[in-house]
Amino acid sequence: MTSLTNHIKQKALDLGFYNCGISKAEYLKEDAGHLKKWLEQGNHGSMFYMENHFEKRVDPTKLLENAKSVITVLYNYYPKQPIPEEDNYKISKYAYGTDYHFVIKHKLKELIKFIESISTGISARAFVDSAPVLDRAWAAHAGLGWIGKNTNLITKEQGSYFFIGEIITDLELDYETSNIPNHCGGCTRCIEACPTDALEPYKLDARKCISYWTIEHKDETIPEEFKGKFEDYMFGCDICQNVCPWNRLSEPHNEPEFEPKEELLKMEKEDWDNLSKEQFNFLFKNSPVKRTKFVGLWRNVKFLNK
C-alpha cells in the first residue's frame, strides 16, 4: 500500500502538480457544521447552487460508491509577471490564460489512467471545482496546507496561488495522519486590506466580495454602495492574497496554457471602455473570464468607469 501511494504521488509530480496528498474518504463532520452555518447566515449571496447536494459536499462516499480515498493535488498558477496595471483594469491572476478546469481535469484523467495501470479494477472520479466537493477542506486534510484567515489554502513553502483538484477512488491507500498547523498567527493583513470588508477571520461574506460581484452576480447592475471600492478589478480579485506575507514566497508556474495572450497584455482602460463582443471572444477564448460573459464584463467596466 505504501509503495502504491508513493507511486501515485510521484506520478502527480511528474504531471506537473506542485504537491499531492491523500486522505481517507469520510464524512467531514466539522466542515459540515461550518458550511451549514455559513449557508444559514446567507453568506453565499445568490449562489444558490451552494445549497444543493449538501450531503455530497461533505461526504465523498455520496459521490463515488465505496469511496475509500481522496487524492488531492495542487497546481501552481502564480504568473511570471502580472498583466500591467497602469492605466488598466485588473483581472485576477487565475484567469490570465486557459481555463484551469480544462488543464487540470486533463492531468487528473492522466493520473487516473496511471492508477488503473498499476492497480486494476478500481473506480475513480476526477473533480476540479465543478462538483459539490469541499476543495480546501480536502487539501487541508491531506496535509497540503492550512486554511488561512482569508479562507484560502496556504502553503508554508509557496503561499496560496494554487488550484485544487481531487480524485475520489475506491482504492485504499496510505493517509496523512496530521494536518499542517495554522501559521497565520496574529496577522490580519488580508482582513485590513479588503476594501469592501468582506472578510472576518476564516470567514468570507460573498455578498461583500469583489470576486462575487464581478463574476457570480448576474444582474445588470452592481449596488452603488460598492462604488469606488473595487480598486479597478473588473474580473475577480487578488487583494487578500497579494497582501498575504506567505505569498512573498510564490514562484512562477511552468504551465504554458496559463500565459496571457500578447493582445491581453497590451490592453489599456480606453481599449476596455470600447471593447466589442468580437474582441471579448478572441481575448478570452477558453478562458475563465467567459464565466461572466461579455455582458457581465461590460457591466463591470461601466461600473468602474462611472
Side-chain angles (χ1 to χ4, degrees):
M1 192 183 297
T2 298
S3 175
L4 187 60
T5 301
N6 290 337
H7 275 93
I8 291 170
K9 289 183 176 181
Q10 184 57 53
K11 182 62 176 180
L13 298 181
D14 294 343
L15 286 168
F17 291 110
Y18 172 78
N19 205 350
C20 175
I22 303 174
S23 46
K24 185 178 180 180
E26 59 187 358
Y27 180 73
L28 298 175
K29 183 178 180 180
E30 185 176 348
D31 297 290
H34 292 318
L35 176 60
K36 186 173 185 293
K37 184 177 180 181
W38 187 78
L39 291 169
E40 288 174 347
Q41 293 174 343
N43 291 299
H44 55 313
S46 63
M47 295 184 291
F48 301 117
Y49 61 84
M50 292 291 297
E51 301 172 12
N52 300 333
H53 311 295
F54 184 88
E55 289 303 315
K56 288 183 179 180
R57 289 185 189 278
V58 297
D59 187 352
T61 65
K62 298 290 193 296
L63 290 165
L64 181 76
E65 187 177 357
N66 200 33
K68 290 186 173 65
S69 304
V70 180
I71 303 168
T72 306
V73 293
L74 302 183
Y75 203 76
N76 182 16
Y77 69 86
Y78 188 74
K80 293 180 177 66
Q81 62 178 35
I83 291 176
E85 295 183 354
E86 186 177 352
D87 190 31
N88 203 2
Y89 301 117
K90 302 174 189 175
I91 297 171
S92 184
K93 294 178 179 64
Y94 86 87
Y96 279 11
T98 301
D99 193 328
Y100 62 97
H101 294 91
F102 303 139
V103 177
I104 299 175
K105 195 69 170 284
H106 173 74
K107 291 179 178 292
L108 285 176
K109 287 181 177 179
E110 288 296 309
L111 185 54
I112 288 176
K113 287 181 182 177
F114 172 77
I115 297 170
E116 290 172 337
S117 73
I118 60 175
S119 184
T120 58
I122 66 131
S123 293
R125 291 184 65 188
F127 300 92
V128 187
D129 190 29
S130 56
V133 179
L134 296 182
D135 300 304
R136 287 165 294 179
W138 284 114
H141 283 284
L144 299 180
W146 74 94
I147 298 176
K149 290 178 183 175
N150 60 6
T151 73
N152 287 298
L153 182 89
I154 303 174
T155 71
K156 195 174 181 180
E157 297 76 22
Q158 201 172 308
S160 63
Y161 291 104
F162 294 102
F163 297 122
I164 305 173
E166 297 87 16
I167 292 173
I168 298 177
T169 177
D170 60 358
L171 178 63
E172 190 169 0
L173 298 165
D174 282 345
Y175 307 126
E176 305 300 328
T177 56
S178 60
N179 293 344
I180 300 295
N182 187 307
H183 292 284
C184 285
C187 179
T188 55
R189 292 186 191 181
C190 56
I191 296 168
E192 294 162 4
C194 180
T196 55
D197 297 321
L199 285 170
E200 298 177 19
Y202 310 106
K203 178 183 174 183
L204 171 71
D205 187 341
R207 297 166 296 185
K208 298 179 180 179
C209 179
I210 295 171
S211 288
Y212 169 79
W213 289 111
T214 57
I215 302 174
E216 300 294 339
H217 179 61
K218 304 306 179 188
D219 289 352
E220 294 180 2
T221 59
I222 296 172
E224 287 295 317
E225 65 186 275
F226 294 109
K227 185 62 190 162
K229 295 183 178 182
F230 280 16
E231 298 194 6
D232 278 335
Y233 273 98
M234 66 174 176
F235 184 89
C237 179
D238 289 325
I239 294 171
C240 66
Q241 294 196 88
N242 288 339
V243 301
C244 177
W246 291 106
N247 279 324
R248 291 179 297 186
L249 303 174
S250 297
E251 296 182 3
H253 64 74
N254 295 306
E255 177 51 68
E257 294 276 8
F258 291 162
E259 295 295 332
K261 285 186 171 72
E262 285 294 324
E263 293 83 356
L264 187 58
L265 294 172
K266 297 175 183 176
M267 295 289 285
E268 296 181 345
K269 282 187 176 179
E270 183 178 357
D271 302 310
W272 292 115
D273 294 338
N274 295 288
L275 185 71
S276 69
K277 190 171 184 179
E278 289 72 26
Q279 286 175 299
F280 173 85
N281 289 334
F282 169 75
L283 288 170
F284 300 116
K285 182 180 179 181
N286 296 326
S287 162
V289 180
K290 281 278 191 177
R291 182 172 178 83
T292 197
K293 300 180 181 179
F294 172 72
V295 292
L297 193 70
W298 182 237
R299 172 204 62 194
N300 299 342
V301 170
K302 287 194 294 182
F303 183 74
L304 294 172
N305 201 25
K306 278 185 180 179

